[in-house]
Amino acid sequence: MIQKPATIQDIARVAGVSPTTVSRVLTNPALVSERTREAVRHAIQSTGYRVNQAARNLRLQRANAVLVLVPNLGKPFYSGILAGISEGFAETDFSVLITDTETNPFHDSTLAENFLDGRIDGAVVLDGRLSASALDACTDVGAGERIVFLCEWIAGQDFPVITSDNAEGARLAIRHLHALGHRKIAHVTGPDGNVLTTARREAMLAERDRLDLPAPADWIIRGDFSVESGYAAAARIVAMDNRPTAVFCSADMVAFGLIAGLTEEGLRIPEDISVVGFDDIEMSGYSVPALTTIRQDRQQMGLRAAKVLLDRLGQKDRDETAETPVPVELIVRASTAPPPGA
Amino acid sequence: MIQKPATIQDIARVAGVSPTTVSRVLTNPALVSERTREAVRHAIQSTGYRVNQAARNLRLQRANAVLVLVPNLGKPFYSGILAGISEGFAETDFSVLITDTETNPFHDSTLAENFLDGRIDGAVVLDGRLSASALDACTDVGAGERIVFLCEWIAGQDFPVITSDNAEGARLAIRHLHALGHRKIAHVTGPDGNVLTTARREAMLAERDRLDLPAPADWIIRGDFSVESGYAAAARIVAMDNRPTAVFCSADMVAFGLIAGLTEEGLRIPEDISVVGFDDIEMSGYSVPALTTIRQDRQQMGLRAAKVLLDRLGQKDRDETAETPVPVELIVRASTAPPPGA
DNA sequence: GTCGATTATGAAATCGATTTCATGATTAGA
DNA sequence: TCTAATCATGAAATCGATTTCATAATCGAC
């Protein structure tokens, strides 16, 4: 037999006080005398009472929830980030909602609507393809201050963004290859228009220039962060007359695809071609060969995004300024070596 | 200047009707005459009004949200499943909350509390380690009918569970290896006590027996679905006097770790040892060598879990019976071949 | 012993929706 | 034309919390 959950009125009755007093015990116990406080606490214990969130949220005009907008939940890259975000909110009583912008055809208008619905208090956006109008809509409803970008961001917009030091990562990769003796370095990019693509590619180009290395146009191969695009890039590279001796990939998955493709064509990694990735996903230490890559601390990034958002929601002491990029690290493994004949 | 969001009272005023009528237009338009209906609709359009969820949920005594309990959000294995779940709820107006049971130290009691809080209407549980008492608590608050298990489950409990045909997967793997000529087949298991571990191991053992294959005890190597455990298993295998010619791994990640370890020890895959995985994650087609594995349609499983839960929440026509396991498929790639000397 | 300050408590309003019940207007049937 | 059914609408109660404002009780100071 299931009885309805106890309400604050029930507790008041059991404890012999008014609902007002019960509420005070819940939110500001100092206002209540020790005797009554204990009586109320006891009543709460014995009934297993819990505050009804809908009622509290309605009265307090808030949602007690945040939304995470993920471009494609299916991509393993996001799992570590989600873990970090989840961890960041675990100690608060915020609920964490998740939406896949790929699955949800209306995600664009959805964001502002979620604020308006009173469904969420804030949002962590991992998708750099959000339209400016969708963001304007959020600003219009007064939610502009409660949006934080993570990993990706939108050029020209002024939201806080937690991101890795993408440029430094690209530089580290190129310098590592250069130090090994490589002079012919190619790059498989991310998708066009993506801010990460740009950041990594531009830094890579700049560093290659700085080192006075050759820069034929076809050494910049368009990819999209997917393993398939890496595989496709392999065919392009094999077909080149002037073949690079090393390839910096915009993501580990791309590197794996590339290595698979090159291996199929009879090239050996790293003896014939060196490959560097970006991300350091779980697998990267155990691929064959183990992948040299740029580590992004994804969990840390998620955690920081959570902190920054909490800060903006007024839940956190203002310690988290968070505008400096999260440091990256070069992890040298077995997929890079001096070029052939060096 | 940010004005407060419009309420149903505002709409009523603008349209010159009572809030009652506005509410009816929203939820049961047939009750309202065409003229007023249009007037109300117009008022809603022009103000950008949206229903306040907290108010509606309070009145309707529901949460309009479901919780997904994930053992470890950081594991890429779950990303596809989450995508499926998210997709399954995308067309409804349920919010999808996600909690990582690893991060959240109190997840055990949390589940029932979330129901009691009125925070969720239902839950999808991916963690087979939930305590019986936690589940009993849910049943006590009348939520027992609104919990669905996915992938894992809890032995002896009677909740609906969406799962792959794990036993069939194990059989397919063993039969494939047997057909290639392998007679010495080892297995790296999942973690102790896990229902998936048991299902796969027992089916593997039964099939091996059925085929009259040898079964030395040390060919069953304890793992935990992680890449590290696969790597560790490699050392064990290399050290064996009577070495198997093929290994069936309880997860693709385990297989990758195993391949990495065996390769380091100078063994060639598949020439010296064949390896079969389980899951068919995104990478598996592009590892070196490409992994022969058992495909689980993770997105499909998530989608089905969502449907079954929606059904139980009374949102869906009762079409989704969902007790038959989701089919698995053998994907033959390059990591398996006839045994040496065959 | 009296007065102002402090402390402890409760009655009632409020948040924004939904729904019951009542009422007036309209239509159909005889 | 009169009655009964149907239709369209609104007033007010309700969901379960929080908070303002008022009041009663206690305290310390003079």
Side-chain angles (χ1 to χ4, degrees):
Chain A
M1 164 90 129
I2 300 143
Q3 73 260 9
K4 289 177 58 175
T7 74
I8 202 170
Q9 332 281 343
D10 298 330
I11 303 305
R13 200 173 318 116
V14 171
V17 298
S18 73
T20 311
T21 301
V22 178
S23 176
R24 280 199 268 257
V25 172
L26 257 26
T27 57
N28 196 350
L31 290 179
V32 178
S33 75
E34 177 144 2
R35 275 175 53 91
T36 37
R37 199 190 312 152
E38 282 316 313
V40 170
R41 290 235 167 94
H42 183 261
I44 291 177
Q45 285 288 322
S46 66
T47 50
Y49 166 76
R50 302 223 88 216
V51 175
N52 179 306
Q53 289 297 313
R56 171 178 275 181
N57 290 342
L58 172 59
R59 179 62 228 239
L60 262 34
Q61 298 282 74
R62 57 156 198 195
N64 217 20
V66 298
L67 177 69
V68 182
L69 274 186
V70 186
N72 184 342
L73 262 177
K75 286 194 192 161
F77 171 77
Y78 293 110
S79 52
I81 295 181
L82 288 181
I85 296 175
S86 174
E87 186 182 342
F89 285 105
E91 60 189 15
T92 73
D93 72 336
F94 278 88
S95 296
V96 179
L97 317 195
I98 298 200
T99 299
D100 187 325
T101 58
E102 206 125 297
T103 308
N104 183 341
F106 306 114
H107 68 271
D108 231 36
S109 50
T110 294
L111 182 54
E113 287 176 358
N114 273 308
F115 278 107
L116 224 37
D117 281 356
R119 232 188 261 263
I120 57 173
D121 299 313
V124 178
V125 181
L126 286 142
D127 189 340
R129 296 165 306 175
L130 222 60
S131 72
S133 64
L135 289 168
D136 289 345
C138 292
T139 309
D140 287 347
V141 301
E145 297 292 304
R146 285 132 54 201
I147 296 178
V148 171
F149 276 77
L150 177 50
C151 284
E152 304 194 1
W153 64 93
I154 297 190
Q157 295 266 0
D158 190 32
F159 294 95
V161 38
I162 289 83
T163 179
S164 287
D165 196 341
N166 289 290
E168 177 65 8
R171 284 191 291 267
L172 285 172
I174 304 304
R175 271 184 228 144
H176 166 64
L177 292 170
H178 183 261
L180 283 172
H182 289 275
R183 297 298 175 262
K184 299 159 73 174
I185 305 176
H187 177 47
V188 183
T189 72
D192 278 355
N194 182 289
V195 284
L196 302 178
T197 300
T198 310
R200 293 173 194 172
R201 185 189 54 211
E202 296 312 312
M204 180 274 178
L205 293 176
E207 188 66 12
R208 204 173 55 174
D209 275 359
R210 198 182 65 81
L211 295 168
D212 271 327
L213 303 182
D218 65 346
W219 285 1
I220 302 300
I221 302 168
R222 190 180 300 169
D224 60 6
F225 296 147
S226 74
V227 67
E228 290 85 1
S229 72
Y231 186 81
R236 299 270 302 273
I237 288 174
V238 169
M240 288 178 187
D241 295 329
N242 183 20
R243 202 182 277 171
T245 61
V247 184
F248 166 49
C249 295
S250 53
D252 282 359
M253 289 303 276
V254 174
F256 294 138
L258 180 70
I259 290 173
L262 293 175
T263 305
E264 269 182 26
E265 299 283 351
L267 293 171
R268 293 160 307 157
I269 319 295
E271 293 82 353
D272 298 322
I273 295 196
S274 287
V275 176
V276 180
F278 203 113
D279 285 347
D280 193 33
I281 65 176
E282 198 180 0
M283 274 269 341
S284 304
Y286 297 90
S287 60
V288 177
L291 189 67
T292 295
T293 191
I294 305 297
R295 171 177 297 167
Q296 304 193 64
D297 191 338
R298 302 202 295 299
Q299 175 124 3
Q300 191 59 37
M301 292 171 69
L303 198 54
R304 242 173 94 177
K307 293 239 172 84
V308 172
L309 185 52
L310 280 170
D311 180 10
R312 305 207 135 214
L313 294 175
Q315 293 298 112
K316 206 79 182 176
D317 1 52
R318 303 235 143 221
D319 55 348
E320 202 69 29
T321 49
E323 291 301 336
T324 62
V326 178
V328 296
E329 188 184 353
L330 171 71
I331 307 291
V332 178
R333 298 204 184 94
S335 67
T336 49
Chain B
M1 166 91 128
I2 300 142
Q3 73 259 10
K4 289 177 60 174
T7 73
I8 201 171
Q9 332 281 343
D10 298 329
I11 303 305
R13 201 173 316 118
V14 171
V17 297
S18 73
T20 311
T21 302
V22 178
S23 176
R24 279 197 269 255
V25 171
L26 257 27
T27 58
N28 197 350
L31 291 179
V32 177
S33 75
E34 177 145 0
R35 274 175 53 91
T36 37
R37 198 191 310 151
E38 282 316 310
V40 170
R41 290 237 168 92
H42 183 260
I44 291 176
Q45 287 287 322
S46 66
T47 51
Y49 166 77
R50 303 223 89 217
V51 175
N52 179 306
Q53 289 297 313
R56 171 178 274 180
N57 290 343
L58 171 61
R59 178 65 228 236
L60 262 34
Q61 298 283 76
R62 56 153 199 199
N64 217 19
V66 299
L67 178 69
V68 182
L69 274 185
V70 185
N72 184 342
L73 262 177
K75 286 193 190 162
F77 171 76
Y78 293 109
S79 54
I81 296 180
L82 288 180
I85 296 176
S86 174
E87 186 183 342
F89 285 106
E91 60 189 18
T92 74
D93 70 335
F94 278 89
S95 296
V96 178
L97 318 196
I98 298 200
T99 299
D100 186 325
T101 58
E102 207 125 295
T103 308
N104 183 340
F106 306 115
H107 69 272
D108 231 37
S109 50
T110 295
L111 182 53
E113 287 176 359
N114 273 308
F115 278 108
L116 223 36
D117 281 355
R119 232 188 261 263
I120 57 173
D121 299 312
V124 177
V125 181
L126 287 144
D127 189 339
R129 296 165 305 177
L130 221 59
S131 72
S133 64
L135 288 168
D136 289 346
C138 292
T139 310
D140 288 347
V141 301
E145 297 292 305
R146 286 132 54 200
I147 296 178
V148 171
F149 276 77
L150 177 51
C151 284
E152 305 196 1
W153 65 92
I154 297 189
Q157 294 267 0
D158 191 32
F159 294 94
V161 37
I162 289 83
T163 178
S164 286
D165 196 341
N166 289 289
E168 178 64 9
R171 285 190 292 267
L172 285 173
I174 304 304
R175 272 185 227 141
H176 166 65
L177 292 170
H178 183 260
L180 283 171
H182 291 275
R183 295 300 174 261
K184 300 160 73 173
I185 305 176
H187 178 45
V188 183
T189 73
D192 278 356
N194 183 289
V195 285
L196 301 178
T197 299
T198 310
R200 293 173 193 171
R201 185 188 54 211
E202 296 311 312
M204 180 272 178
L205 293 175
E207 188 66 12
R208 203 173 56 175
D209 275 1
R210 199 183 64 82
L211 296 167
D212 273 328
L213 302 181
D218 66 345
W219 285 2
I220 303 300
I221 302 168
R222 189 179 302 167
D224 60 6
F225 295 146
S226 74
V227 68
E228 289 84 1
S229 72
Y231 187 81
R236 301 269 302 275
I237 288 174
V238 169
M240 289 177 186
D241 295 330
N242 182 19
R243 204 182 277 172
T245 62
V247 184
F248 166 47
C249 295
S250 52
D252 282 358
M253 288 304 275
V254 174
F256 293 138
L258 179 71
I259 291 173
L262 294 175
T263 305
E264 269 182 27
E265 300 283 351
L267 293 170
R268 291 161 308 157
I269 318 295
E271 293 81 355
D272 299 322
I273 296 196
S274 286
V275 175
V276 181
F278 203 114
D279 285 345
D280 193 32
I281 65 176
E282 199 180 2
M283 273 270 340
S284 304
Y286 297 89
S287 60
V288 178
L291 189 69
T292 295
T293 190
I294 305 299
R295 172 176 298 168
Q296 305 194 65
D297 191 338
R298 302 201 296 296
Q299 175 125 3
Q300 190 59 38
M301 292 172 70
L303 198 55
R304 243 172 95 175
K307 291 239 174 82
V308 172
L309 185 53
L310 279 171
D311 181 11
R312 305 208 136 214
L313 294 175
Q315 293 298 115
K316 206 79 183 174
D317 2 53
R318 303 234 143 222
D319 55 347
E320 203 68 30
T321 50
E323 292 302 336
T324 63
V326 179
V328 296
E329 188 185 352
L330 172 71
I331 307 291
V332 178
R333 297 205 185 94
S335 68
T336 50

